[in-house]
Amino acid sequence: MEHTSERAFVRMSGVGHRYDPTPGSPMAVQNIDLDINRHEFVAVVGPSGCGKSTLLRMVSGLLVPSEGTVSVFGKQVDGPRDDVGIVFQKPTLLPWLTVRKNVLFPLKHKFGRYSSQDEKRANELLAMAGLEAFADKMPDELSGGMQQRVGIVRALLLNPDILLMDEPFSALDAMTREQIGFDLLKIWDENPKTVLFITHSISEAVLLADRVLVMSKRPGSVLDLIEVDLPRPRSADTIKQPRFSELTDRIRKHIYEPDAH
Amino acid sequence: MSTPLIQNENFVKVAAPLGVGILFLLFWEIAVQALEMPKYILPGPIEIFKALIDGWQPLLGALYITLKVTFLAFVIAVVLGVAASLLFVQSKWIEMSLFPYAVLMQVTPVVAIAPLIIIWVDDTTWALTVCAVIIAIFPIISNTTLGLRSVDPNLLSMFRMYRTSRWQELVRLRIPGALPYFFGGLRISSGLALIGAVVAEFVAGTGGAKAGLAYMILQSGYNLQIPRMFAALLLITLTGIALFALMVWLSNRALQNWHESALEVEH
Ligand SMILES: Nc1ncnc2c1ncn2[C@@H]1O[C@H](COP(=O)(O)OP(=O)(O)O)[C@@H](O)[C@H]1O
Ligand SMILES: [Mg+2]
């Protein structure tokens, strides 16, 4: 990749975490070393319970790792940062606010108000996500897929340098899921950011990411780090390429025959 | 007979229970007359209605007293209950230390402590109010506390990402999120405030100018004015229904944006 010469944007060195602080208690995640370049899209796959969310929370600053360090542009992460946007598995919208107000909420919350320019950008992003007709609706009037898009738009509005997504599409049906994935790539292409994307779908990881981190089952550690050398822009045709199945097969081997490694 | 009205669910919802009620009253009246039931044992609906009309002045006076106690108790229960909930969610320690006492208050039969309260509190109205508050406060505390606590953990994480103060978290996330729970508690509590006001007065048995509907029932019983007893009972029931309807209306108004919970109310 052309970015590799740059200093790593997000650097995890020797990161591990145990929820139970008693020494000797099991680790949820251990020995994670990963450098993510600026504007790189990294996906993380692994069996459920292997510590993917834990890893993401440590990058977000919501959770302080009990071992190792996470740093962003050389500065150690010791708490939540302004330049990080986060999207969870379930759309975490405030049910008492309209879609537009939900999107603008972080601004309103941070600065007490927002400008007409912010509102214009919100409308643009909503339009890009195909939601302009729903801007004044309440969240529960929208389908799950639409709500999730609103959550993504909200995370994008502050134009964060880092976008953290924890299984953002797993509650959606397969068709919506693929479409929303391509939409995300389009947005990412227009507003490049560093993305850490957690998923339990191997094909989704390969379809979207520049690199895929494969984690072992609990305690999660790195099994493999795979360079996805599929051309961009990716589309439904990408799936038909032989290279696509080669890459997904390689990941599947790790998941189904962890000892073969 | 299948008229289009029968297929209208809203119409049926009102008409069906109303029909049952009218049939019941009709059966009651016919049975009382056919069996020549003496009215000091079981009066018919017509006799009760007459008692309501004839005795409207003392009945309304008593209703006013009972309503006053009910509303006072309800308002105090809401204010104190919400304050307690806000205190409880400040720390697990506060909740663990104090919540058992809220439960204690809930499980102690108010009838058993009412005589004490009546001795301690001189003014009858306030004595009754205190009893009613003790009964009415628990649903407010438990519902509001539950509401303030049951925030989506992901939303909480998101607020942490915005680096919010505890105060902002409370005002912008926990309180709006707790509203449906709070209104649920309000509905139960309003009915309990009325029950508390009535039960306490049964125990207190105060007479004189300040007597409420419960005393009216007691007194009518002594005097064998059974129709009036029923009339007073009817007023208590109607008050309870009116209170409940008022609360449903209030919560629907307040939660207009809360589509889900507004729908729940209608079921
Ligand atoms: N708050 C927590 N307290 C204690 N254990 C936790 C907590 N969160 C997660 N865990 C444990 O850590 C492990 C990894 O969890 P998680 O990061 O959520 O996995 P994943 O997202 O890969 O499914 C699991 O075994 C889970 O039970
Ligand atoms: Mg997870």
Side-chain angles (χ1 to χ4, degrees):
Chain A
M1 277 219 63
E2 59 191 54
H3 303 301
T4 36
S5 60
E6 282 182 36
R7 186 151 55 130
F9 193 60
V10 177
R11 166 163 286 174
M12 299 170 221
S13 34
V15 171
H17 190 73
R18 54 161 56 96
Y19 282 100
D20 178 0
T22 9
S25 63
M27 306 281 292
V29 184
Q30 64 186 13
N31 297 333
I32 305 282
D33 290 301
L34 176 68
D35 284 356
I36 305 177
N37 299 312
R38 184 160 198 154
H39 299 169
E40 192 182 13
F41 195 128
V42 172
V44 180
V45 294
S48 80
C50 75
K52 303 182 293 295
S53 300
T54 305
L55 187 67
L56 179 124
R57 289 171 70 79
M58 290 190 288
V59 175
S60 73
L62 287 169
L63 184 69
V64 180
S66 45
E67 283 176 14
T69 53
V70 178
S71 58
V72 173
F73 242 143
K75 196 180 165 294
Q76 188 172 336
V77 175
D78 52 7
R81 314 161 45 95
D82 278 334
D83 53 2
V84 175
I86 198 161
V87 179
F88 295 101
Q89 178 172 350
K90 281 193 297 173
T92 46
L93 304 177
L94 297 169
W96 52 88
L97 295 180
T98 63
V99 164
R100 184 183 288 112
K101 285 193 174 148
N102 258 293
V103 168
L104 287 161
F105 180 80
L107 279 172
K108 171 105 177 151
H109 181 67
K110 265 198 168 96
F111 309 112
R113 63 195 178 80
Y114 44 81
S115 63
S116 55
Q117 223 165 345
D118 296 326
E119 208 166 335
K120 200 169 142 250
R121 186 168 150 73
N123 289 337
E124 278 168 17
L125 281 168
L126 282 170
M128 212 195 285
L131 289 165
E132 66 257 83
F134 298 90
D136 294 310
K137 295 248 186 302
M138 304 306 291
D140 58 10
E141 294 176 86
L142 272 59
S143 71
M146 288 172 165
Q147 290 183 26
Q148 196 61 342
R149 281 166 203 259
V150 178
I152 296 170
V153 167
R154 177 181 57 190
L156 291 170
L157 184 75
L158 295 169
N159 207 13
D161 287 326
I162 303 172
L163 187 57
L164 304 175
M165 305 180 94
D166 192 352
E167 305 198 21
F169 307 149
S170 58
L172 311 180
D173 62 89
M175 277 172 47
T176 317
R177 187 171 179 153
E178 217 169 82
Q179 189 49 51
I180 200 171
F182 291 130
D183 290 346
L184 175 68
L185 283 185
K186 204 176 115 221
I187 293 171
W188 174 69
D189 210 41
E190 287 166 25
N191 311 264
K193 20 193 111 289
T194 308
V195 182
L196 185 65
F197 183 98
I198 286 168
T199 175
H200 56 240
S201 158
I202 293 169
S203 51
E204 189 173 74
V206 173
L207 192 55
L208 301 179
D210 293 320
R211 281 190 296 161
V212 180
L213 177 80
V214 186
M215 282 175 75
S216 70
K217 62 173 192 279
R218 189 177 182 185
S221 56
V222 182
L223 274 185
D224 200 355
L225 188 56
I226 294 169
E227 191 89 23
V228 181
D229 44 9
L230 291 163
R232 292 190 186 273
R234 311 256 172 93
S235 67
D237 289 330
T238 308
I239 302 165
K240 296 180 200 144
Q241 296 179 21
R243 184 70 185 138
F244 180 84
S245 2
E246 273 171 45
L247 290 167
T248 50
D249 283 350
R250 178 168 158 197
I251 297 173
R252 249 177 226 121
K253 273 218 175 66
H254 287 297
I255 307 273
Y256 296 119
E257 313 156 31
D259 302 329
H261 192 71
Chain B
M1 275 223 315
S2 83
T3 58
L5 262 182
I6 291 277
Q7 274 147 30
N8 180 333
E9 199 181 326
N10 279 335
F11 173 75
V12 174
K13 242 191 212 160
V14 177
L18 212 64
V20 171
I22 289 169
L23 271 180
F24 176 72
L25 289 180
L26 214 65
F27 173 77
W28 182 357
E29 185 63 45
I30 291 169
V32 163
Q33 289 196 9
L35 299 173
E36 289 177 16
M37 190 70 84
K39 68 180 180 189
Y40 56 84
I41 293 182
L42 179 64
I46 293 176
E47 201 63 51
I48 295 169
F49 190 68
K50 253 196 256 164
L52 194 64
I53 303 291
D54 291 344
W56 68 271
Q57 230 166 353
L59 278 168
L60 273 192
L63 175 65
Y64 170 73
I65 301 290
T66 300
L67 275 181
K68 194 166 88 178
V69 172
T70 304
F71 273 109
L72 266 177
F74 182 50
V75 170
I76 293 172
V78 169
V79 172
L80 290 184
V82 169
S85 304
L86 289 174
L87 185 69
F88 285 176
V89 294
Q90 291 318 301
S91 96
K92 236 6 221 185
W93 280 98
I94 298 180
E95 186 178 358
M96 282 193 303
S97 327
L98 295 182
F99 197 76
Y101 293 98
V103 176
L104 199 76
M105 227 158 70
Q106 161 77 1
V107 297
T108 309
V110 81
V111 195
I113 41 170
L116 267 180
I117 292 168
I118 288 157
I119 292 171
W120 289 337
V121 183
D122 271 341
D123 183 79
T124 318
T125 308
W126 282 109
L128 300 185
T129 305
V130 170
C131 294
V133 168
I134 290 175
I135 289 192
I137 199 169
F138 190 75
I140 302 273
I141 296 183
S142 62
N143 272 38
T144 313
T145 307
L146 179 67
L148 290 169
R149 283 219 182 283
S150 51
V151 187
D152 180 344
N154 286 336
L155 264 177
L156 213 52
S157 291
M158 236 181 51
F159 269 68
R160 300 252 153 88
M161 288 302 291
Y162 305 150
R163 284 180 295 184
T164 29
S165 63
R166 282 178 68 99
W167 171 251
Q168 286 176 322
E169 190 185 287
L170 185 69
V171 172
R172 297 190 183 164
L173 181 60
R174 290 188 188 271
I175 290 180
L179 279 184
Y181 294 83
F182 167 73
F183 279 106
L186 219 55
R187 245 177 285 152
I188 303 169
S189 170
S190 64
L192 287 180
L194 176 63
I195 291 174
V198 171
V199 168
E201 203 189 10
F202 268 119
V203 179
T206 47
K210 274 184 159 184
L213 285 172
Y215 185 69
M216 179 76 82
I217 288 176
L218 282 178
Q219 202 189 28
S220 311
Y222 297 143
N223 300 342
L224 286 184
Q225 289 174 301
I226 308 303
R228 176 175 286 193
M229 199 169 159
F230 270 94
L233 185 62
L234 180 68
L235 284 183
I236 292 176
T237 308
L238 290 178
T239 307
I241 293 172
L243 268 177
F244 188 81
L246 182 70
M247 289 308 126
V248 170
W249 177 81
L250 243 175
S251 64
N252 280 352
R253 279 299 302 263
L255 301 175
Q256 258 171 7
N257 292 339
W258 276 94
H259 298 268
E260 277 175 38
S261 55
L263 285 175
E264 271 165 25
V265 169
E266 284 174 9
H267 284 296

